[in-house]
Amino acid sequence: QVQLVESGGGLVQTGGSLRLSCAASGRAFGLYALGWFRRAPGKAREFVAATSGSGSNTEYIASVKGRFTISRDNAKNTVYLQMNSLKPEDTALYYCAAKVGSYVTYVAAYDYWGQGTQVTVSS
């Protein structure tokens, strides 16, 4: 069982930066692939970024490549999402999620979810 708690969201202007954090409780954190997802108003939850258990492999949705960076610190049981050059279309509720094994990009594969942290980018 893994419990996830996100933090770091907020209101930022276009072009600004935020760093989201997701702290996990439970054992064997390094066995879990971790992902960040988001849900914009009126839209379905979508994949943003994911990282493997070791952190050596990552994947991003095309719209955030070059702007967002996912990383993890297994000693601290924490995964991060550094978001730079933010755009109004990045406005959403951001969730972290965990699954045992390899990372994938689809929502249904993840077993554990946080409650989300709101990111709002003003134009």
Side-chain angles (χ1 to χ4, degrees):
Q1 188 78 11
V2 175
Q3 293 183 326
L4 303 169
V5 179
E6 304 94 336
S7 62
L11 174 64
V12 64
Q13 291 185 335
T14 297
S17 298
L18 285 173
R19 187 175 84 153
L20 306 183
S21 299
C22 176
S25 63
R27 298 180 178 179
F29 181 70
L31 296 181
Y32 291 86
L34 298 168
W36 285 97
F37 295 78
R38 65 188 179 186
R39 177 154 56 195
K43 296 186 178 181
R45 194 174 303 193
E46 68 172 354
F47 168 78
V48 176
T51 181
S52 59
S54 67
S56 59
N57 296 305
T58 59
E59 186 166 345
Y60 300 88
I61 192 173
S63 62
V64 308
K65 282 183 179 178
R67 300 189 298 122
F68 291 11
T69 302
I70 188 171
S71 62
R72 64 189 294 165
D73 184 339
N74 285 351
K76 296 182 178 179
N77 280 18
T78 302
V79 62
Y80 305 96
L81 186 67
Q82 177 66 44
M83 305 186 296
N84 299 328
S85 302
L86 283 160
K87 304 175 181 180
E89 51 263 43
D90 295 317
T91 294
L93 187 61
Y94 283 72
Y95 301 88
C96 70
K99 65 178 294 292
V100 175
S102 301
Y103 67 79
V104 294
T105 63
Y106 51 97
V107 172
Y110 287 78
D111 300 306
Y112 305 101
W113 291 84
Q115 294 300 306
T117 186
Q118 178 67 39
V119 171
T120 303
V121 185
S122 63
S123 57

